[in-house]
Amino acid sequence: MTSILPFNTRRWAVLAVALLMTLGACQRGLTPTAQLTRPTNLPVNTQIAPDPTAEKTIAPYQTRVNQTMNEVIGQAPVALEKGVYESALGNFVSDLSRTQTMAVYGKPIDLGGMTNGGLRNPIDQGPITVGDVFELMPFENEMLVLTLSGQTVKEMFDFAARTRILVLANASYTVRNGQVKSIFIGGKPFDQNKTYTLAISDYLANGGDNMSFLKDALKREQTGLLARDAIMKEIKQRTAQGKPVVAEKDGRVKVLN
């Protein structure tokens, strides 16, 4: 079960980012002047005494970061973890990537996508905090809407079947020997002569995780919605409705022997 912890080394990276981004501790336009003039080899361990001045300076920010990151925004009765082809965590994030992007885009979107590489932590059973979402999605990736040709969509499904790391929302397909045998989008058979829209992060849209075929998109549209904020909104909306954060494998991928 997720525990609500004070500031510690496990959360250092997440909380440092949150400190800079959420609390405005970093002012834009400043140029760092400190320089490392020669290599150093200083082991960081418990034998190094804390610097009192540094601790005093950091203390008020540390307190505010702890308060922000430890805020409970939802409950998960069962842990959500990632896996191959589809998973509870992969389905949850790919689905909300599509629906939350549609909410700001204002028009229907055919597909949503997320790779396992973008999901850095599971959602543990128990209370879900803001810090948990930062650990799940620590990147500043924006959700884009891509318009893809049928050929590019087919390449995407081929990639999903071959690599097993891409989870797709509002779609189902079968796989035999690593190859796609049938595809349905929105409950309808895939038509290679049509174009389809896809909600996906800018990292993947730019070819991340070896998805270079997405750079062939016919159209790219920004939404201003961060992938992490989409997750946060989904969890908060479910909580406001009295619903827990649950998801499961739903059979959107059928692997044939």
Side-chain angles (χ1 to χ4, degrees):
M1 179 178 292
T2 301
S3 56
I4 301 175
L5 302 173
F7 181 83
N8 55 40
T9 54
R10 184 179 72 86
R11 296 189 174 215
W12 166 251
V14 171
L15 299 180
V17 170
L19 172 64
L20 295 176
M21 296 178 49
T22 325
L23 304 178
C26 178
Q27 302 214 0
R28 300 196 180 277
L30 297 180
T31 303
T33 57
Q35 294 183 356
L36 186 64
T37 57
R38 61 181 179 177
T40 60
N41 185 20
L42 294 176
V44 179
N45 54 43
T46 55
Q47 295 177 354
I48 298 177
D51 182 274
T53 302
E55 286 201 320
K56 184 178 179 180
T57 302
I58 292 170
Y61 297 104
Q62 175 179 317
T63 299
R64 293 174 65 191
V65 166
N66 284 338
Q67 291 173 345
T68 299
M69 290 295 169
N70 289 329
E71 177 190 356
V72 175
I73 59 173
Q75 295 285 334
V78 179
L80 275 62
E81 299 181 344
K82 61 184 179 181
V84 297
Y85 287 123
E86 62 164 315
S87 64
L89 185 62
N91 289 357
F92 174 67
V93 177
S94 65
D95 288 350
L96 71 85
S97 294
R98 173 177 169 266
T99 56
Q100 291 293 340
T101 302
M102 277 199 300
V104 298
Y105 185 61
K107 291 182 286 186
I109 299 174
D110 298 311
L111 296 158
M114 176 57 64
T115 59
N116 280 342
L119 305 174
R120 293 309 174 99
N121 246 32
I123 294 178
D124 292 331
Q125 179 185 23
I128 304 169
T129 65
V130 171
D132 291 330
V133 178
F134 270 78
E135 291 182 342
L136 167 63
M137 180 63 65
F139 315 107
E140 294 303 292
N141 295 139
E142 180 185 358
M143 296 304 302
L144 302 185
V145 179
L146 306 183
T147 301
L148 306 176
S149 68
Q151 178 181 344
T152 302
V153 171
K154 177 60 164 55
E155 287 185 69
M156 181 172 66
F157 277 90
D158 286 340
F159 174 86
R162 183 175 67 254
T163 65
R164 309 189 299 176
I165 66 168
L166 174 63
V167 184
L168 293 164
N170 198 38
S172 61
Y173 61 97
T174 59
V175 181
R176 187 189 294 275
N177 298 325
Q179 295 184 333
V180 172
K181 294 301 178 184
S182 66
I183 300 170
F184 287 82
I185 298 174
K188 299 179 180 179
F190 165 63
D191 184 348
Q192 193 156 328
N193 295 315
K194 289 180 58 177
T195 60
Y196 293 88
T197 49
L198 168 72
I200 202 158
S201 74
D202 55 2
Y203 170 73
L204 297 176
N206 291 330
D209 281 356
N210 297 313
M211 296 177 66
S212 58
F213 48 85
L214 290 183
K215 292 192 284 186
D216 295 330
L218 303 175
K219 187 177 181 181
R220 294 164 55 100
E221 298 174 86
Q222 294 180 290
T223 65
L225 175 67
L226 295 184
R228 180 175 56 246
D229 290 345
I231 298 172
M232 204 92 68
K233 286 182 178 182
E234 180 72 20
I235 294 172
K236 288 183 176 181
Q237 286 171 3
R238 292 194 183 197
T239 301
Q241 296 166 1
K243 299 177 180 178
V245 175
V246 293
E248 59 185 14
K249 292 173 63 175
D250 55 19
R252 66 186 66 184
V253 182
K254 180 184 252 186
V255 182
L256 305 175
N257 296 324

